[in-house]
Amino acid sequence: MKRFNLLIILLLSIFLTDSCQKIEPIVIIPEPQECTPKKGHFTPDEGTFLCFSNIPENERDMTNTIREQYSKFFKLTPNLGDEESAGKNSMLFEVNKKRNEALGDEGYELIVTGRRVVAKANTTAGLFYAFQTLKQMSYPSQLAEGGKPTIPCAKITDHPRFAYRGAHLDVSRHFFDVNYVKKYLDMMATYKLNKFHWHLTDDHGWRIQIDKYPALTTKGAWRPERSKWDTLHPVLPDEPMTYGGFYTKEQVREIVAYAAARHIDVIPEIEIPGHCSAILAAYPQYACDNYPYTVAVGPYWPPKAIMCAGNDGVIDFYKGVLEEVAELFPYPYIHIGGDEAFNDNWQVCPKCQQRIADMKLKDEMALQQWLMNEIEEYLKTLDKKAIVWDDIVSEDMVNMSTIMSWQDPKTAVIAAKHGNDIIRCPTSHCYFNFYQNDPKSEPLAMDGLITLETAYSFDPMPEGLDEKAQKHILGGQCNLWTEFINTPKQANYMIYPRICALAECVWTDPSHKDWKKFQNKVEMHTAFRKR
Ligand code: ACM
Ligand code: ZN
C-alpha cells in the first residue's frame, strides 16, 4: 500500500510538472519544413556533454566550428563526449549511419527534450545547420529576464528547398576588410546561406593580389578619397590615390577557410569584358583606344571601359589572372561577369572588327559571347566552371555557363530551356543596395525600393518552366552593391533584416512561409542582435 502511494505521488508530480510547463515560442529563420513544439525546455549547463558521433575522418575539423560556437554562444566550456556519453544532459550531433534520403545533403532532424538534444543528419553540413537552429531557438530565453539560454522542446525535420543560397558583396565600389568579410560570412551562416559571391573587380578598384600582374593592386586598387560618391569630376592629375585596398593571397586563403568552416563556398568574380576601368588604369594596352583610363571615382554612366576583344593579349591576361584565382578557390565555379559591357569601343576598333570577321560573328553581342566562351573553355582546363550574368542570354546563345539572372525573369526562362543552370537575383527582389523604406527617411541609397515584404515575396522559381527546366533553377541570392555603402555599419543596415527574408525564400517551402509570423520572428532576431 505504501509503495502504491509513492507511485501515485511520483506519477502525479511528473504530470503536474509537465502540465505547468508551457509551449515556448520558436523563432527560427529560415522557417523549418516541419516543426512540432513541445512543452518544456532543455538548459545546457557546465555538466552538459557535447557529443559527436560517426563524423567522417576527413571532416573532424567541422566539429570544431560547432564546439567554438557552443562555447561562445552558450558561454560554456564544452565537455566533449561521443555516442556513449550521449545520455541525460547531452547534446548529440550524429552523422546518420544509414543515409536518410528525405534529408538530402544539408537537412537535419532535431529532437529537443527536457533531458537532452539529439541532432542527426547525413552530413556535417546538416549538423552545422541543426546547431544554427538550436542557437536561434534560445533567443527568446536570452531576451527574457535572467537571460539564461534555454532551448524549447521540439521535434524538427528540416532541409533546404534550393541547393544554392547565396549572398553577394561588392568590395570594389568600397573596400571591406577581412574582419568585416568574416562578419558577413557569420551572418550568412546563421541564416543557412551557403554561397558567398565575392565581387572582387570592377571599375572602382581591383581587390585581389595577382602575382603575374602586380599593377592590378599597386595601381588598380587605389583611387582618390572623395567624401561623397557623387562628386562628379574625373581624377585630377595631382589627386592623391589614398582610398582603396586589396586582399593578399594569404588573406584570401584565410577567408576561404573561414567560410568552409561554416559550410560556405566562395565564388570569386572577375569581371569580363566590361567594368574594367581599374584594369585599364594599370594596363592601358588592353583597351581598344588610347583613352587615359583611371580607377573610377563616381557614378559615370555608362562606363566607357571595355577590354579589347580583338587583342590576343587580353585573352592571355584573363587566363593568367584566372589561373592564379583558380588556385585560391576550391569551389568549382568562378564568376566571370559579363554584365553591362557597353561595346561602343568595339564598334570602332579595327582589332575587334577583325575578330568579328575572322570568327564570322553576327555582331558585337556575338563577339562578347565568343570571348566569354573562350574563357569558359579555358576554365574547363583548370577544372572550373563559369557563372555569368544574364546579359549574354539570347535565343541563339552558345554558352553553357551557369547564368546569374538579375534582370527580367524571362532571361532565366530562356536559359533554363536552353539547358543552362540558373541562379536568380532579380533587381525586383534581391538588390539590397536599393532603399528599404521611404527614401525621405533613409540614408542615401541606390534608386529603387525593396521593402522587407517585397524581399519576402521572392520566389526563385520563375513561371513558365516544365519539370525538366525547373531542375535548372539552382536557387537565389541577394546582392549588395556598395556605391552608397562605405562602412560595415551601413552594409549591415542594408543587408539586415532583408537577408532573413532572402534566406527564408531560398530555404523554406512556400507552403510554410508566413509573412505575419516572419515579421514577429524578425523582431525577436533584431532584439537579440541589439541586446
Ligand atoms: C548588375 O547589377 N550589373 C549585375
Ligand atoms: Zn578592340
Side-chain angles (χ1 to χ4, degrees):
M1 184 66 186
K2 237 182 177 168
R3 228 185 241 178
F4 180 72
N5 277 348
L6 265 177
L7 188 67
I8 295 279
I9 289 166
L10 191 68
L11 285 174
L12 212 58
S13 70
I14 288 173
F15 172 76
L16 283 176
T17 322
D18 192 48
S19 63
C20 288
Q21 288 177 330
K22 44 184 196 334
I23 293 201
E24 300 182 22
I26 294 188
V27 293
I28 304 160
I29 300 176
E31 185 68 20
Q33 309 298 4
E34 284 172 44
C35 174
T36 313
K38 309 261 177 169
K39 284 180 188 163
H41 54 254
F42 176 81
T43 307
D45 58 28
E46 286 294 346
T48 304
F49 274 103
L50 183 62
C51 307
F52 294 97
S53 165
N54 197 36
I55 306 294
E57 197 70 54
N58 58 352
E59 289 189 66
R60 289 275 154 85
D61 281 0
M62 293 300 182
T63 63
N64 293 346
T65 320
I66 294 184
R67 258 164 50 191
E68 279 164 27
Q69 292 199 353
Y70 177 87
S71 313
K72 209 165 136 196
F73 191 81
F74 293 112
K75 297 183 183 58
L76 295 169
T77 316
N79 300 313
L80 289 186
D82 54 19
E83 208 176 338
E84 306 283 289
S85 26
K88 191 168 176 310
N89 198 9
S90 67
M91 287 170 105
L92 169 67
F93 292 84
E94 180 172 281
V95 170
N96 289 324
K97 291 178 185 106
K98 185 167 175 299
R99 186 177 163 88
N100 176 348
E101 279 310 327
L103 297 179
D105 286 340
E106 295 179 293
Y108 61 91
E109 279 177 312
L110 192 56
I111 297 178
V112 182
T113 66
R115 289 181 77 241
R116 65 176 188 152
V117 171
V118 177
K120 292 190 177 184
N122 295 325
T123 59
T124 51
L127 296 180
F128 180 74
Y129 293 140
F131 190 75
Q132 302 317 304
T133 290
L134 286 168
K135 282 195 320 192
Q136 294 187 8
M137 286 168 86
S138 80
Y139 288 180
S141 63
Q142 296 204 51
L143 288 166
E145 228 181 285
K148 194 171 168 54
T150 67
I151 303 165
C153 296
K155 180 172 187 316
I156 295 174
T157 308
D158 200 9
H159 58 86
R161 180 179 176 212
F162 291 103
Y164 188 109
R165 306 179 303 279
H168 149 291
L169 179 65
D170 166 12
V171 292
S172 173
R173 272 51 179 271
H174 284 100
F175 181 64
F176 291 84
D177 66 12
V178 170
N179 227 1
Y180 181 69
V181 175
K182 286 183 177 173
K183 293 219 157 68
Y184 200 80
L185 292 166
D186 283 338
M187 174 139 40
M188 287 178 61
T190 296
Y191 295 112
K192 304 186 177 91
L193 298 180
N194 64 355
K195 308 287 179 232
F196 175 50
H197 173 178
W198 206 1
H199 187 76
L200 287 162
T201 76
D202 212 303
D203 293 304
H204 301 81
W206 180 280
R207 306 287 179 220
I208 178 169
Q209 176 188 348
I210 301 293
D211 297 331
K212 193 165 177 195
Y213 298 101
L216 287 172
T217 44
T218 54
K219 278 196 172 160
W222 303 96
R223 66 175 190 250
E225 173 109 50
R226 297 267 177 89
S227 57
K228 278 181 75 188
W229 178 262
D230 286 23
T231 320
L232 263 181
H233 62 83
V235 177
L236 306 171
D238 55 351
E239 240 182 318
M241 302 293 209
T242 50
Y243 180 83
F246 63 94
Y247 308 97
T248 63
K249 289 194 170 178
E250 215 33 57
Q251 289 174 321
V252 169
R253 286 192 196 98
E254 188 183 332
I255 294 282
V256 168
Y258 192 87
R262 284 150 187 77
H263 298 273
I264 295 172
D265 298 308
V266 184
I267 301 164
E269 181 179 354
I270 304 296
E271 274 270 17
I272 302 172
H275 287 285
C276 61
S277 305
I279 303 175
L280 297 181
Y283 296 98
Q285 65 269 36
Y286 298 138
C288 293
D289 56 10
N290 293 319
Y291 185 82
Y293 292 94
T294 63
V295 177
V297 279
Y300 287 95
W301 200 258
K304 173 183 163 61
I306 190 161
M307 302 287 276
C308 180
N311 178 349
D312 288 340
V314 164
I315 295 171
D316 289 344
F317 166 82
Y318 279 129
K319 288 182 177 174
V321 167
L322 289 168
E323 189 180 1
E324 292 188 33
V325 169
E327 263 174 25
L328 290 168
F329 294 90
Y331 191 57
Y333 287 86
I334 294 180
H335 199 309
I336 55 171
D339 63 319
E340 301 171 321
F342 296 98
N343 57 33
D344 299 25
N345 284 3
W346 286 1
Q347 293 168 29
V348 293
C349 168
K351 284 193 204 146
C352 286
Q353 291 305 314
Q354 189 62 47
R355 182 82 80 196
I356 288 176
D358 291 348
M359 294 295 143
K360 300 190 176 35
L361 300 170
K362 192 171 84 185
D363 54 15
E364 285 74 22
M365 189 60 222
L367 177 60
Q368 182 176 341
Q369 290 190 357
W370 172 85
L371 176 64
M372 309 290 294
N373 212 37
E374 286 290 293
I375 301 300
E376 193 182 329
E377 288 303 311
Y378 174 69
L379 284 182
K380 284 185 195 158
T381 69
L382 302 173
D383 273 338
K384 297 287 182 190
K385 294 185 254 188
I387 300 177
V388 298
W389 295 109
D390 65 8
D391 303 50
I392 64 150
V393 171
S394 68
E395 294 286 358
D396 53 2
M397 72 175 178
V398 290
N399 311 60
M400 285 316 298
S401 18
T402 294
I403 301 294
M404 189 164 273
S405 152
W406 66 285
Q407 306 186 79
D408 195 286
K410 68 175 183 271
T411 60
V413 172
I414 294 170
K417 287 183 178 165
H418 184 254
N420 299 63
D421 286 338
I422 316 291
I423 298 152
R424 296 209 57 225
C425 52
T427 51
S428 53
H429 295 81
C430 300
Y431 271 46
F432 294 170
N433 53 325
F434 289 4
Y435 286 100
Q436 52 194 314
N437 218 322
D438 182 351
K440 287 203 265 325
S441 61
E442 288 291 303
L444 190 65
M446 187 61 89
D447 204 13
L449 178 67
I450 295 179
T451 63
L452 184 61
E453 189 169 8
T454 307
Y456 192 70
S457 67
F458 174 48
D459 185 350
M461 188 60 69
E463 284 174 8
L465 293 181
D466 61 20
E467 214 172 296
K468 183 163 166 251
Q470 281 184 3
K471 292 216 163 47
H472 288 299
I473 305 297
L474 305 183
Q477 72 173 33
C478 55
N479 291 347
L480 197 66
W481 303 100
T482 57
E483 286 92 339
F484 298 101
I485 301 173
N486 58 358
T487 61
K489 189 164 172 241
Q490 184 62 8
N492 286 344
Y493 178 72
M494 298 305 279
I495 197 84
Y496 181 92
R498 289 183 287 187
I499 196 168
C500 301
L502 183 272
E504 200 148 305
C505 297
V506 289
W507 179 284
T508 307
D509 193 84
S511 60
H512 298 130
K513 283 174 69 187
D514 177 337
W515 165 238
K516 219 173 159 60
K517 182 174 179 186
F518 175 75
Q519 281 172 284
N520 291 335
K521 292 190 298 186
V522 165
E523 264 175 37
M524 183 66 82
H525 281 234
T526 306
F528 184 79
R529 277 168 65 83
K530 285 190 179 151
R531 84 201 185 288

